Amino acid sequence: MRTLCVAITTVVLLAGSAIGVMGQSDQQSRPPISSAGCGTSEVAVGEHYGSMRVGDTHRWWDLHVPSTHDGSSPVPLVLLFHGFPESPGHVESQTGFGRYGAQEGFIVVAPAGRGQLPHWMEDDFGDGFFDATGGNPDVIFIEALLDRLGEELCLDLARVYATGFSNGAMATSVLACALEDRIAAAAPVGGLVDFGAGCVQDRPVPLLAFHGTGEELVLYEGGFGPWVLTQEVEGVLWRDLPFMDDPAIFVPIPDRAAGFAVRNGCEPGPTSEFIAKDVEILTWSCAEGTEVALVASHGDGHSWPGSAYTAADGQKTTMEIDATELIWDFFEQHPMPE
């Protein structure tokens, strides 16, 4: 893994970035910002279940607290979003983030989506699927969740991050736009979305995305695969759902990453290099603290890279990297700017 980190660092340095995606940065020394719970939190180490009402909806989450949380020293937080129509438990086992957080010393919260078929960021599969604003019901929930966790735990508010898989990657993409004042960096896997003019940010959010070029569900070249289009959701075929008119769905994945890069003020046109067999990284030349990169796994389908999760087509990923480790490496380099 250290070899891969060096390779990625080299790629970004060649692209003219001030630091490597996985390299050392002065940002690491950024002082923590203590949440309200620092000094009073008594949450025990281990796994917890939490819930609350947001508006007229019951929302819940799984929480993983590492031994580094003593109630007084601020600890980083990673938001982990599941895919459609899955659960927090599924994405936790799929990615191993809870176990990795216990090892590396950061808190993981895996919230549950809305509805009988749990989903993120769309208005009951209506025309609000790509609402990347603070008015989105799920954005409102995540804001309330961060407020509550900040009161109950001792969080480092300078180091709050978001990642997720599939529909959870879409949720991650939304938060990079709608909560850029609270999310230090984002890492969508298998479902990056660019919102174009619909993404209004006061600060650039560093982004590390992953996607398989052989995706059979969320296609690398844009759109959804044939199997998805023929699925029925609440009595309607997927291809006939109102949000299918949104042009953002049909933008190729590299162009979506490029959209984030342009908003972050990066140079147009990425540098490309293979960092492992069949694993390519596209990096944009950006100012320190605004990096954008896309890791493309050639031939891989809809799965979390490096996990034992089996893709929808029955094939395991052959990717030679571990997305969970690389994502945390990226997050560590990108706290909120001072």
Side-chain angles (χ1 to χ4, degrees), residues 1-13 20-23 273-277 279 281 320-322 325-326 329:
M1 186 55 57
R2 294 304 102 189
T3 301
L4 287 177
C5 293
V6 171
I8 294 174
T9 299
T10 302
V11 171
V12 181
L13 287 172
V21 170
M22 305 298 175
E273 185 160 322
F274 280 81
I275 58 172
K277 185 178 182 293
V279 181
I281 184 168
E320 298 180 1
I321 61 173
D322 188 319
E325 291 188 20
L326 291 181
D329 284 345

Side-chain angles (χ1 to χ4, degrees), residues 96-188:
F97 248 110
R99 296 187 300 275
Y100 199 63
Q103 173 185 318
E104 297 296 317
F106 59 87
I107 297 168
V108 175
V109 61
R114 288 179 293 137
Q116 195 168 22
L117 298 173
H119 57 272
W120 292 107
M121 300 301 168
E122 74 280 359
D123 185 12
D124 296 325
F125 299 100
D127 57 8
F129 189 79
F130 291 120
D131 177 11
T133 72
N136 188 306
D138 287 321
V139 174
I140 293 170
F141 164 47
I142 296 304
E143 283 209 275
L145 174 60
L146 290 176
D147 288 343
R148 175 155 165 178
L149 293 180
E151 294 172 356
E152 295 180 347
L153 298 159
C154 183
L155 301 182
D156 181 355
L157 300 181
R159 292 171 174 82
V160 175
Y161 307 101
T163 187
F165 178 65
S166 192
N167 186 215
M170 298 173 187
T172 300
S173 303
V174 168
L175 295 181
C177 290
L179 293 184
E180 84 281 5
D181 59 333
R182 306 188 74 165
I183 303 299

Side-chain angles (χ1 to χ4, degrees), residues 258-303:
F260 271 90
V262 168
R263 277 192 304 280
N264 280 15
C266 306
E267 295 293 329
T271 295
S272 168
E273 185 160 322
F274 280 81
I275 58 172
K277 185 178 182 293
D278 297 327
V279 181
E280 181 183 15
I281 184 168
L282 305 177
T283 57
W284 281 259
S285 179
C286 310
E288 181 176 351
T290 68
E291 289 79 11
V292 174
L294 169 64
V295 178
S297 170
H298 287 261
D300 275 329
H302 200 62
S303 59

Side-chain angles (χ1 to χ4, degrees), residues 81-84 120-121 129-130 163-175 187-195 207-212 215 217-220 222-224 248-249 251-254 256-257 260 294-295 301-305:
F81 295 94
H82 64 75
F84 168 83
W120 292 107
M121 300 301 168
F129 189 79
F130 291 120
T163 187
F165 178 65
S166 192
N167 186 215
M170 298 173 187
T172 300
S173 303
V174 168
L175 295 181
V189 179
L192 169 67
V193 181
D194 175 41
F195 309 100
L207 184 117
L208 175 64
F210 294 76
H211 212 91
E215 263 276 10
L217 302 184
V218 184
L219 302 182
Y220 190 76
F224 294 105
I249 289 173
V251 175
I253 296 297
R256 300 182 193 186
F260 271 90
L294 169 64
V295 178
H302 200 62
S303 59
W304 184 273

Side-chain angles (χ1 to χ4, degrees), residues 10-67:
T10 302
V11 171
V12 181
L13 287 172
L14 289 172
S17 175
I19 62 170
V21 170
M22 305 298 175
Q24 297 300 312
S25 168
D26 291 340
Q27 294 184 87
Q28 283 186 292
S29 61
R30 191 246 191 271
I33 300 175
S34 299
S35 71
C38 292
T40 61
S41 176
E42 297 181 352
V43 177
V45 173
E47 300 180 9
H48 303 269
Y49 168 88
S51 68
M52 64 179 171
R53 294 198 70 81
V54 181
D56 59 356
T57 306
H58 176 260
R59 307 303 300 257
W60 65 275
W61 57 90
D62 287 343
L63 182 69
H64 300 260
V65 180
S67 59

